[in-house]
Amino acid sequence: MTDLTRLSAASLASLIAKKEVSAVEVATAHLDRIDAVDERVHAFLHVDRSGALEAAAAVDRGEITGPLAGVPIAVKDVVTTKGVPTTAASKILEGWKPPYDATIVERLKKAGMPILGKTNMDEFAMGSSTEYSAYGPTRNPWDLGRIPGGSGGGSSAALAAYEAPLAIGTDTGGSIRQPGAVTGTVGAKPTYGGTSRYGLIAFSSSLDTPGPCGRTVEDTALLHAVIAGHDPRDSTSIKQPVPDVVAAARLGATGDLTGVKLGLVKEFAGDGSEVGVTAAFRESLEALVKLGAEVVEVSCPNFQYALPAYYLIAPSEASSNLARFDGVRYGLRTGDDGNHSLEEVMSLTREAGFGPEVKRRIILGTYALSSGYYDAYYGQAQKVRTLITRDFQSAFEQVDVLVSPTTPFVAFPFGSRTSDPYQMYLADLFTIPTNLYGGPAISVPCGLSEGLPVGFQIMAPTMADDRMYRVAAALESAVGTFTPPAL
């Protein structure tokens, strides 16, 4: 019998629609897979077996239909799910069950997609390795001694370990794309405002973007189409039609890129990347040229300032957003024994509830926003953000998309970068500019280096998400997909 966990989401949806397999069978197969391997991978923080089976049964009864009806999905634990624990991988929210669903969760349920559970992540989405989860790290199915990327390492590892055919991630500085790159999966960051942030536990409000993760480009596009679209409950949501990303992916899969211009970012062309990463990227670029694409070198001189600008803007917004976690209204409360003042309870709660990386970013952000420093740091970083946006706009006058490696290195061993935050931050060197600009970008596997996956990043103009899917699918058709060793 076919192992249902190895099939693509598109194949599963087709089988369910034809009633060749039931949605309950598909959900059960993935839940059994989680039981079998997640003790080693630790992709999930919470598994909702009963909720997933109930949702699958509703599909089998014909109550819900749609392109992905019955296809199960994993959801990053920074997205609220009504009645299901949502912790953002932090002790300060341990055991919290939201009273409402995020908009994207509502859309998943409306589409008939059973939610398998909540995936592990770096606490409050702050990190690049999932080592900063308060509940322990997730392990990369390609090598259990290495990181699965971050902050959304749980979602990408669940895909690579065949625990879920699809997953939801969030991308603030690369947290969908970088985990996709190091686990050999596909991760897409939509245009900022193209997917709703309502119900997303905020890290950096001007950057946070929920998005789809899958094992193939077509699967990822199908999920993108389900979750995207205007939401009146999100003031930053874009009131425009969603680009036809599914049609674009299927067009790209034909392998014809005639007339498509790819912009090779001069500042990212191998500088600082591992030799194997650069080699895989260059080979993939040659493969795209054989499909009819034209490569044009473009210069984006202000990209070199993206990393420092991001690490002023994002922590500044985080220091404001995380002020709500004070032990008064919900979540952890420490020191409330009648002997401490309200201020002391707040201080003790935040000391006990936040991990080291969250504290580091709150301190950095609070300093950058403090009196006398706002203009020198946060204000200057926002000016750099404008210059980076202009670089993108100028580049897109010359080319259709920009391309680069997704991350400078393959998955690194646990503990090798936690002692040096700057080295950890470099994981997002190539992904951060897109977040500052607000455009869409996707990471697609393009090869192996030392037996570990390498990601190829495609960046497109705002609300031109379809362009990146076309190129990504074409690359996938040329180089194929990559399967990790058996667990």
Side-chain angles (χ1 to χ4, degrees):
M1 182 178 174
T2 303
D3 183 349
L4 295 175
T5 65
R6 298 284 170 146
L7 298 180
S8 69
S11 296
L12 288 172
S14 176
L15 290 172
I16 293 168
K18 295 175 183 175
K19 299 191 182 300
E20 294 179 15
V21 67
S22 72
V24 168
E25 287 177 299
V26 173
T28 300
H30 286 90
L31 290 165
D32 290 348
R33 174 68 176 173
I34 293 169
D35 289 343
V37 305
D38 204 57
E39 185 176 351
R40 284 169 285 162
V41 178
H42 191 40
F44 285 86
L45 292 178
H46 176 79
V47 177
D48 186 15
R49 175 176 282 271
S50 61
L53 292 175
E54 287 174 14
V59 173
D60 288 335
R61 290 192 298 268
E63 295 174 13
I64 305 174
T65 59
L68 289 175
V71 179
I73 188 166
V75 176
K76 188 177 180 181
D77 199 36
V78 75
V79 180
T80 58
T81 42
K82 185 177 181 178
V84 176
T86 302
T87 68
S90 178
K91 289 292 184 183
I92 209 162
L93 280 175
E94 188 170 16
W96 181 59
K97 295 181 180 180
Y100 68 101
D101 280 325
T103 294
I104 56 175
V105 171
E106 288 180 351
R107 291 177 178 175
L108 294 175
K109 291 181 176 179
K110 186 177 180 181
M113 301 183 68
I115 296 174
L116 297 168
K118 307 300 288 294
T119 57
N120 198 16
M121 55 184 281
D122 286 295
E123 184 181 6
F124 284 103
M126 299 182 193
S128 302
S129 65
T130 318
E131 290 174 283
Y132 290 124
S133 168
Y135 305 102
T138 295
R139 300 185 178 277
N140 193 327
W142 284 83
D143 180 342
L144 296 178
R146 293 177 183 266
I147 59 100
S151 63
S155 288
S156 62
L159 295 170
Y162 297 98
E163 295 176 90
L166 292 169
I168 293 293
T170 63
D171 197 306
T172 307
S175 292
I176 288 175
R177 291 163 287 157
Q178 185 256 2
V182 301
T183 58
T185 58
V186 179
K189 173 216 171 298
T191 295
Y192 177 82
T195 48
S196 173
R197 291 187 300 112
Y198 179 79
L200 182 67
I201 298 174
F203 162 17
S204 180
S205 300
S206 73
L207 300 167
D208 296 341
T209 309
C213 311
R215 286 194 295 268
T216 71
V217 175
E218 182 186 23
D219 285 358
T220 308
L222 285 165
L223 179 55
H224 187 139
V226 167
I227 64 173
H230 179 251
D231 178 14
R233 293 178 295 185
D234 176 2
S235 63
T236 60
S237 181
I238 299 173
K239 200 171 185 178
Q240 288 185 29
V242 178
D244 194 343
V245 294
V246 176
R250 289 171 177 165
L251 175 62
T254 64
D256 183 5
L257 289 181
T258 303
V260 176
K261 290 186 177 181
L262 311 177
L264 179 62
V265 182
K266 179 181 177 182
E267 287 73 15
F268 285 172
D271 185 31
S273 296
E274 291 175 348
V275 173
V277 170
T278 301
F281 172 72
R282 291 287 180 178
E283 289 173 8
S284 297
L285 206 56
E286 292 173 7
L288 292 175
V289 170
K290 290 179 181 177
L291 297 180
E294 177 187 351
V295 177
V296 179
E297 186 174 80
V298 297
S299 179
C300 299
N302 294 294
F303 278 21
Q304 64 180 309
Y305 306 118
L307 194 71
Y310 173 88
Y311 279 102
L312 285 167
I313 293 169
S316 295
E317 295 182 4
S319 73
S320 175
N321 280 325
L322 270 62
R324 72 193 67 174
F325 301 105
D326 53 13
V328 175
R329 287 160 288 189
Y330 49 81
L332 180 71
R333 181 180 297 176
T334 301
D336 187 14
D337 56 5
N339 297 315
H340 296 95
S341 67
L342 176 61
E343 289 79 7
E344 289 171 331
V345 170
M346 288 181 179
S347 180
L348 289 168
T349 297
R350 290 166 70 83
E351 167 63 27
F354 288 142
E357 182 63 20
V358 173
K359 291 174 183 174
R360 181 182 296 120
R361 297 199 194 193
I362 289 174
I363 291 169
L364 178 60
T366 304
Y367 179 80
L369 292 175
S370 60
S371 177
Y373 295 101
Y374 180 97
D375 289 333
Y377 293 112
Y378 185 76
Q380 286 294 100
Q382 290 288 18
K383 291 177 182 177
V384 170
R385 185 176 192 171
T386 299
L387 294 175
I388 290 168
T389 296
R390 289 175 182 171
D391 279 352
F392 271 106
Q393 292 169 340
S394 175
F396 288 133
E397 289 176 359
Q398 306 169 59
V399 298
D400 297 301
V401 297
L402 300 179
V403 297
S404 77
T406 305
T407 187
F409 32 74
V410 295
F412 47 85
F414 286 109
S416 62
R417 293 177 183 263
T418 49
S419 61
D420 186 346
Y422 179 68
Q423 288 300 314
M424 184 74 79
Y425 296 164
L426 286 176
D428 298 329
L429 183 66
F430 300 149
T431 54
I432 281 174
T434 295
N435 295 87
L436 294 174
Y437 162 55
I442 191 170
S443 176
V444 61
C446 69
L448 301 176
S449 173
E450 300 178 12
L452 296 168
V454 175
F456 187 102
Q457 179 178 222
I458 302 147
M459 299 162 272
T462 54
M463 294 308 291
D465 304 50
D466 51 328
R467 293 190 196 178
M468 69 180 186
Y469 277 102
R470 180 185 176 188
V471 176
L475 178 59
E476 184 180 73
S477 73
V479 303
T481 56
F482 300 87
T483 304
L487 287 170

